[in-house]
Amino acid sequence: MKIALLALLGLALGAIGGAALGIGAGLAWVEIFKTTDFESYSGMLVFFTFMPLGAAIGGIAGAVLFAVVAIRDTEIAIEREPVRHRDH
């Protein structure tokens, strides 16, 4: 359950971060390649192409990253040996 919840959290955070990076990449694309602004073509390019792509890639990456971290944490917890107390 912990793995699934962390994967969902990673999906949400990754989608938000990826959308923000997608907007940044889209704005950079518009400036570098001098995309026309006729009938707000450049705005539609950024918000209907780059933002959804960034959100999808970021969401998948975040979910995978958080799931891997959760799985590794579970493996480490299983492999740990209990601490033995010595009586003096």
Side-chain angles (χ1 to χ4, degrees), residues 3-87:
I3 296 169
L5 290 175
L6 281 174
L8 286 174
L9 178 65
L11 176 73
L13 292 177
I16 291 169
L21 290 175
I23 290 171
L27 291 174
W29 177 278
V30 167
E31 288 298 318
I32 291 170
F33 294 105
K34 305 294 182 203
T35 305
T36 181
D37 199 28
F38 179 71
E39 292 184 351
S40 71
Y41 174 74
S42 59
M44 287 190 291
L45 175 69
V46 170
F47 287 100
F48 292 132
T49 304
F50 284 94
M51 187 178 70
L53 282 175
I57 293 169
I60 292 169
V64 168
L65 178 69
F66 275 49
V68 167
V69 168
I71 290 169
R72 287 193 178 175
D73 182 50
T74 303
E75 289 175 0
I76 292 170
I78 291 171
E79 294 174 3
R80 291 185 188 149
E81 293 181 17
V83 178
R84 296 179 184 162
H85 297 287
R86 295 183 184 175
D87 294 329

